[in-house]
């Protein structure tokens, strides 16, 4: 059984796998594109647990497209 990754590591990996979608992710999460970029590039020392949880929720459970 593997040990779960820290939340920041998991979120960074999820962001890396969806680089072309950061504008959409920023819009859905309410977190700026600039913040996403800085976080991904390790320029934010303490990203905040709630911010990471919110971002993780968007990255793992994307919203349904409008009109669906």
């Amino acid at each position: 059984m593997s040990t779960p990754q820290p939340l920041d590591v998991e979120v960074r990996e999820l962001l890396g796998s969806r680089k072309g979608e950061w504008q959409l992710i920023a819009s859905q999460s309410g977190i700026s594109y600039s913040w996403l970029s800085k976080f991904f590039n390790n320029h934010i020392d303490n990203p905040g647990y709630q911010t990471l949880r919110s971002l993780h929720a968007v990255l793992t459970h994307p919203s349904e497209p409008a009109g669906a």
Side-chain angles (χ1 to χ4, degrees):
M1 189 162 133
S2 65
T3 304
Q5 294 184 55
L7 184 58
D8 62 328
V9 173
E10 184 175 355
V11 168
R12 196 170 280 114
E13 286 180 2
L14 289 167
L15 276 174
S17 70
R18 295 180 58 188
K19 269 192 173 182
E21 302 173 53
W22 286 8
Q23 289 289 358
L24 177 62
I25 292 165
S27 175
Q28 290 176 339
S29 67
I31 299 167
S32 73
Y33 180 92
S34 174
W35 189 97
L36 297 178
S37 178
K38 289 175 184 176
F39 172 73
F40 183 76
N41 290 299
N42 294 307
H43 295 294
I44 297 180
D45 293 331
N46 184 3
Y49 180 75
Q50 191 56 47
T51 302
L52 290 176
R53 292 287 301 156
S54 298
L55 189 52
H56 186 267
V58 169
L59 291 167
T60 57
H61 301 97
S63 300
E64 291 291 322

